[in-house]
Amino acid sequence: SVPFLIRLFPSLLTKFVYLNFLAFPFFVDFRRPELLVNNTISLHLTTEPGVTVGIWHTVPGSRGAEARGQDQRWYEEALADAHPVIIYLHGNGGTR
């Protein structure tokens, strides 16, 4: 019956392959990353009209004391300084 259901509802296959409906660990607010990861803030970038990508900006531990208690503007300015930026793409499933 599973192949028959997938044939009728192909969107089911993508849900089970990518599991993008799951948020793990459960009961965690991913919009507030500072509760999970030190020196981290949640930002949104508009890549093109109508497309917004959510990101977490984490500064390295060496700048941790400087980042503590700072607002979003400080994190945005930290992206513009001369330090290298590493972009980690976690894949096609799960959440940030």
Side-chain angles (χ1 to χ4, degrees), residues 43-48 51-55 79:
L43 301 171
H44 291 87
L45 301 176
T46 301
T47 58
E48 60 185 56
V51 178
T52 302
V53 178
I55 64 165
L79 283 172

Side-chain angles (χ1 to χ4, degrees), residues 45-78:
L45 301 176
T46 301
T47 58
E48 60 185 56
V51 178
T52 302
V53 178
I55 64 165
W56 283 0
H57 177 212
T58 303
V59 296
S62 60
R63 297 185 73 185
E66 183 184 355
R68 196 165 291 118
Q70 297 291 343
D71 61 354
Q72 180 175 339
R73 182 178 175 159
W74 183 90
Y75 281 86
E76 290 172 356
E77 290 172 358

